Amino acid sequence: MKNSSYLIAVSFLFIMICSFSNSASAQINQNIFQEIDVEPGTEYKYHVPKSHILNFGVGFPNKLGLAISGYEKVESILGTNVIEGGSATPQLTLSYEYAVDGQLGIGAHVGYFSATTPTLNFDLSEITGGSGGILEEACELIPILCDATETLSEALQGSQKFQVWTFSGRVSYHQKILPKLDIYAATVLGYSLIRRKSLSADGDDSKGNLDAISDGFQSLTIPNYSYYAVAGGRYYITEHIAIYGEGGYGNITVANAGLTYRF
């Protein structure tokens, strides 16, 4: 009997705690996501139904670009060393959004960046010539052979350049939760087109060493699918022009900021 009373009391207490927790959670959510009253004359500060929106932005940091520009492949049967560091541009973006209603927006997103790997030297001198090289004695007898080896080593200096275009769809949800700010959450999903190009050390891509350079970077890959989930806000300076910033999670960049034009 005592056990039954104890179980009933514990069950009642558990139900009361759950009810209180749910009520508190609902109240918090209501306070956070409840839309504010819009002041007369400030309607243009928010998401305007049936409007068209263009965003011009820059993403930072460029996660993929930094990975490419910092890449150093030193494991090769030819032997390698880094001659010059790599580089990468920011993620440049252009997006279009159509305001279906006061909350929903749908559209498209285009991104672009380029990046160049460090310039590596695929050195043959230790194998074919020089001190201790296989052809060291032959080079002493035929000096032109050593000159040819050095020329070949110089030719096997290069890097790879990547140009990445991303084409995506975009869906956004807007709410009036802060005065005079267009607050939204958005998801971007798309596919990347990647152009990969081998370069010799002087930037010339017409030499016969490109296959060897390309082989040295075989393990460097870029994902074809892109994704980006963010929360952001726009502040309209005029009825047509705004500045915006957004941040979240993605495989190319984590933050984006720029200008908005609405028509």
Side-chain angles (χ1 to χ4, degrees), residues 71-83 117-128 149-160 198-201 209-218:
Y71 175 85
E72 296 181 6
K73 181 173 177 60
V74 296
E75 295 179 1
S76 170
I77 59 171
L78 300 177
T80 60
N81 60 79
V82 177
I83 297 176
T117 65
T119 301
L120 304 183
N121 175 18
F122 298 85
D123 190 3
L124 295 179
S125 61
E126 294 183 1
I127 299 176
T128 59
T149 299
E150 292 178 2
T151 300
L152 182 58
S153 295
E154 292 176 359
L156 289 175
Q157 294 178 4
S159 60
Q160 288 209 338
S198 294
L199 300 173
S200 63
N209 64 322
L210 299 187
D211 288 340
I213 293 174
S214 181
D215 290 343
F217 294 93
Q218 281 183 348

Side-chain angles (χ1 to χ4, degrees), residues 23-255:
S23 299
S25 177
Q27 184 65 37
I28 291 172
N29 289 336
Q30 184 179 7
N31 291 336
I32 292 176
F33 297 107
Q34 183 177 8
E35 292 197 338
I36 63 175
D37 295 328
V38 177
E39 297 179 15
T42 65
E43 292 84 0
Y44 74 92
K45 294 282 189 178
Y46 306 97
H47 193 60
V48 178
K50 312 304 179 183
S51 63
H52 304 267
I53 300 166
L54 288 176
N55 299 308
F56 308 87
V58 178
F60 53 91
N62 182 348
K63 294 164 66 176
L64 283 179
L66 291 175
I68 294 170
S69 62
Y71 175 85
E72 296 181 6
K73 181 173 177 60
V74 296
E75 295 179 1
S76 170
I77 59 171
L78 300 177
T80 60
N81 60 79
V82 177
I83 297 176
E84 183 180 355
S87 62
T89 68
Q91 167 78 354
L92 306 177
T93 62
L94 170 64
S95 65
Y96 165 77
E97 183 178 340
Y98 174 69
V100 177
D101 54 28
Q103 293 182 318
L104 180 63
I106 58 174
H109 176 102
V110 178
Y112 170 82
F113 77 89
S114 66
T116 303
T117 65
T119 301
L120 304 183
N121 175 18
F122 298 85
D123 190 3
L124 295 179
S125 61
E126 294 183 1
I127 299 176
T128 59
S131 178
I134 297 174
L135 300 181
E136 178 183 6
E137 295 183 0
C139 285
E140 293 178 358
L141 298 175
I142 311 175
I144 192 174
L145 183 59
C146 287
D147 295 338
T149 299
E150 292 178 2
T151 300
L152 182 58
S153 295
E154 292 176 359
L156 289 175
Q157 294 178 4
S159 60
Q160 288 209 338
K161 181 176 182 179
F162 294 81
Q163 293 177 306
V164 181
W165 289 90
T166 301
F167 301 90
S168 311
R170 177 185 174 100
V171 178
S172 61
Y173 178 76
H174 301 251
Q175 275 201 313
K176 304 178 183 69
I177 58 176
L178 290 176
K180 301 178 181 180
L181 281 177
D182 177 17
I183 302 298
Y184 61 89
T187 299
V188 177
L189 296 173
Y191 186 82
S192 295
L193 300 179
I194 303 165
R195 183 170 183 257
R196 184 170 182 157
K197 183 178 182 181
S198 294
L199 300 173
S200 63
D202 59 4
D204 181 12
D205 62 350
S206 62
K207 294 184 179 180
N209 64 322
L210 299 187
D211 288 340
I213 293 174
S214 181
D215 290 343
F217 294 93
Q218 281 183 348
S219 65
L220 182 55
T221 59
I222 301 175
N224 286 108
Y225 293 97
S226 63
Y227 54 88
Y228 189 36
V230 297
R234 294 193 188 100
Y235 177 76
Y236 281 91
I237 303 170
T238 70
E239 185 176 353
H240 301 288
I241 298 176
I243 56 176
Y244 79 90
E246 56 189 31
Y249 181 79
N251 65 341
I252 294 181
T253 187
V254 295

